[in-house]
Amino acid sequence: MGLTRQYLRYLPAALFGLVGSAKGNVAFLALRGEWGRYVAVPACEHVFVWDTRKGEKVVILKGLKQEVSCLCPSPDGLHLAVGYEDGSIRVFSLLSGEVNITFNGHKAAVTAMQYDHLGGRLVSGSKDTDIIVWDVINESGLYRLRGHKDAVTQVLLLKEKNLLVTSGKDTLVKWWDLDTQHCFKTLVGHRTEVWGMALISEEKRLVTGSADSELRVWDITYIQEVKDPDEPESKKSKGSSPGAQENTEEDETLELDERPEERLVKCSKVGSIMREGRDRVVTLATDRTGKFLACHGTGAVLEVFSVLSEEEIRKKLEKKMKKAKKKAKQNSAEEPEKSVELSLQEEIKRLTNIRASSKIKSFDLFLSPKGELKIVLLLQNNIIESYNLNLAAQVPQAVRASKITIGGHRSDVRTLAFSSDNIAILSAAAESVKVWNRATLQCIRTMDCEYALCSLFVPGDRQVIVGTKTGKLQLYDLASGSLTETLNAHDGAVWSIALSPDQRGFVTGGADKCVKFWEFELVKDESSTQKRLSVKHVRVLQLDEDVLCVRYSPNQKLLAVSLLDCTVKVFYVDTLKFFLSLYGHKLPVLCMDISYDATLIATGSADRNVKIWGLDFGDCHRSLFAHDDSVMYLQFVAKSHLFFTAGKDSKIKQWDADKFEHIQTLEGHHKEVWCLALSPNGDYVVSASHDKSLRLWERTREPLVLEEEREMEREAEYEESVAKEEQPVVAGETQGETGLAGKKTIETIKAAERIMEAIELYREEMAKLKEHKAICKAAGKEVPFPVNPILRAYGNITPSAYVLEVFKKVKSSELEESLLVLPFSYVPDLLRLFNEYIHLGSEIELLCRALLFLLKIHFGQITGNHMLVTVIENLKKTTISRVSEARAAFSLRSPDV
């Protein structure tokens, strides 16, 4: 067998050009013992922590593949819970930046999260309509709550009561009793989706935001009444009904599930606060003290309200009463004491409106100890703005404290270019041109421009040329960061620009059906005695269709031009005579490139195909189905027949033009990839996407074998299909309001397989031991027993101890799901081993949890098996005695608990 061709693997090196993704929310963090200075923002799959004072990125919490959809800091400020698009939740330590816990339970993106006031429990809501309560300390899921019919938009845990309030896009607000794990009240007063909620006035009021300009305010009454068991059910129901009839408004009074449990909470609408915005509420939240409430719609205005405390309300009422008495004396009428009361607008008064520089996607509030309200805004156009609100002022006005912008473009990057020394990267968007240092990823120049579509570094790397949507060519000097010249090159958009191989000029193609040839020249600068670089137009090639892409052959003999009629025309450069027409694409060719030896041309089209042609006769060597959407960019690697393509399917792929094989897929972008650029030495690839990120990929020394790559792709597909499979059903459990928190993943299957392998090894070793004893008995002497190499690796432990070691290594959050997929044939052995372990007093808590779960899911089979009766009896005795001992020992160690 001959040697296979060896390729080198490209791996992700960095993500840059991104300040914050608009998908998730921004959150203040207590980092380095300081609140109100550091903010966490989602950045595609990572989380960036920014210092708003210095405008610097201080921490990167690295994710895996999925995009971040939700952030929630813990009350102690030491951890950050991060929710992802695939439904997973990872809890990061802010001290080390490492992942402490991973929770897998949701099937779709996590949309809302909240910790309880102690930080021991975490509640998450998702697009899959489920709410899951997680135990952070034990690193496991407690239970799943079902009831919403559409995505959950907000979850709120009450501090004083063990109650949970959730809202959803199904127009409902649900109240859950976490002691009994069921929904005891549903508010159905909203006509449209409930997009946000907040608890104010020490959790005595609930504010909800919907798709209209009203913020509805509800009074919450907690009823401390003990149920009388002798009281008839009908009487109980009647007793709870007046609370529901207090409000007579038709669209606000409807309440479902009118059960005796309404004695826990009464909820009645007291009125509405009108927002200035007419669009839907996007985010509604309070600061940590609950004194300030803020909300914003789909626009650029944040509305801030102040919520009066009970003391302030009392003082205001007294003041109002005095005024009323004074007025009554003047009018010599009766004192109207009963009629004096504060309106809702006086209790929740508007402080100010903050107008941001662009549309707001999320915000966070923090009241500093100095009495200043700090507000941070994450904007749609890749900006973080922070404002300070001086509350002591007569009319509080928000002052912008900082604005983080330099780290990225305001709009999508449409063109990229590498400098000839592989050090600088040029990126250009609709508003600016930026030059980045590849090694440090710092932005070293920012220059204003028109809507850029194509660009290149002028030989010498001291100037850059940008082609715009309005048909202009803009020439920039990098040393001064200034625009030196603007030329009206085309009557339509300049779609493509290509440097000539002799580096004396370049060619442009535009929407005016022209290909224009330009040469560099030195002209005298009017402002100084020195000469500066300029360009002059030398030739034009008129065509019948719009020009989409132009490329020179490296020997500068041929020019390839892609036209809107789906063909590529090849011309001689010297005479501009027609040479070849390459036709076969069903849709226009958006990108193309010619190999270093001028023998091949590869074309990428909106029909999702890449075609490889010979440049000698124009014959099509192969047509490859490259992407699931339009192929946006194509470029050959220097001095090879390997090329990269970028597609609207968010993937970048590497291909071999000689063997017509797909080599590697670079996955990382979450939206359409608009363009890419390869460094002249072929070691680096930089790509730009609609997700606002720029990504750098680096060629490693690691060889890539195609067979292994295909095998890895098949494994990844299998793992994805496992996650999409139906979840295992627990015997006797109905699809009611509650369910198990976890879900089946490839990790839980692997954990179950490891337990099965350990039990099989235990069975084999026990059988061998029995056989060995029989041999020793027959021989009448002790024969050495061969130790299993696995057990030897663990330090010559016993087979039963090995099973325990494997069991202990199963993650706490994956334990229940791993036991759920474990076949029953392994359970009897596991129960016998549990009895042995508990008797020895090792891992009591873990084993009791696993034991109770196994009894719950296999109750029928265990009780129906006579062989297991004695095992269960023994387990009952040992478990009760050992748990009592453990409790006693704990109470001795910590008597205050």
Side-chain angles (χ1 to χ4, degrees), residues 477-500:
D477 179 58
L478 292 183
S480 61
S482 60
L483 174 67
T484 56
E485 193 173 355
T486 300
L487 296 164
N488 289 314
H490 291 267
D491 294 334
V494 183
W495 287 117
S496 185
I497 188 167
L499 187 68
S500 62

Side-chain angles (χ1 to χ4, degrees), residues 302-314:
L302 179 78
E303 299 179 44
V304 186
F305 300 88
S306 171
V307 182
L308 296 185
S309 64
E310 283 186 5
E311 183 68 24
E312 288 169 325
I313 289 170
R314 190 174 57 76

Side-chain angles (χ1 to χ4, degrees), residues 479-610:
S480 61
S482 60
L483 174 67
T484 56
E485 193 173 355
T486 300
L487 296 164
N488 289 314
H490 291 267
D491 294 334
V494 183
W495 287 117
S496 185
I497 188 167
L499 187 68
S500 62
D502 63 6
Q503 301 194 337
R504 289 181 181 178
F506 59 93
V507 63
T508 58
D512 59 355
K513 304 177 185 177
C514 287
V515 173
K516 292 191 177 181
F517 295 80
W518 309 80
E519 279 184 3
F520 298 117
E521 63 174 356
L522 288 169
V523 294
K524 196 172 181 182
D525 197 349
E526 294 166 7
S527 59
S528 68
T529 55
Q530 292 179 340
K531 288 188 175 182
R532 65 170 177 83
L533 186 84
S534 180
V535 293
K536 66 174 180 181
H537 177 226
V538 287
R539 284 193 296 173
V540 64
L541 173 62
Q542 190 68 42
L543 294 156
D544 299 330
E545 294 284 343
D546 289 16
V547 178
L548 299 178
C549 188
V550 288
R551 285 291 177 270
Y552 272 112
S553 66
N555 56 16
Q556 209 169 329
K557 285 183 178 176
L558 302 172
L559 178 75
V561 182
S562 156
L563 301 175
L564 200 61
D565 64 0
C566 312
T567 64
V568 175
K569 300 277 195 290
V570 184
F571 298 90
Y572 290 106
V573 172
D574 50 1
T575 60
L576 295 185
K577 282 187 177 175
F578 174 75
F579 172 49
L580 290 171
S581 178
L582 312 177
Y583 55 90
H585 284 289
K586 295 183 180 72
L587 289 169
V589 173
L590 303 176
C591 52
M592 61 181 173
D593 201 14
I594 298 171
S595 64
Y596 74 103
D597 54 5
T599 56
L600 297 175
I601 178 170
T603 57
S605 165
D607 64 8
R608 304 179 288 179
N609 291 311
V610 166

Side-chain angles (χ1 to χ4, degrees), residues 24 76 88 91 97 105 131 159 170 197 231 262 285 294 381 400 436 472 483 573 597 634 646 665 716 880:
D76 59 8
S88 63
V91 181
I131 298 127
K159 285 178 187 173
D170 55 1
M197 285 192 307
E231 194 180 343
E262 198 188 60
N381 64 344
R400 191 165 75 198
W436 308 81
K472 290 178 181 147
L483 174 67
V573 172
D597 54 5
L634 186 151
T665 301
I880 290 167

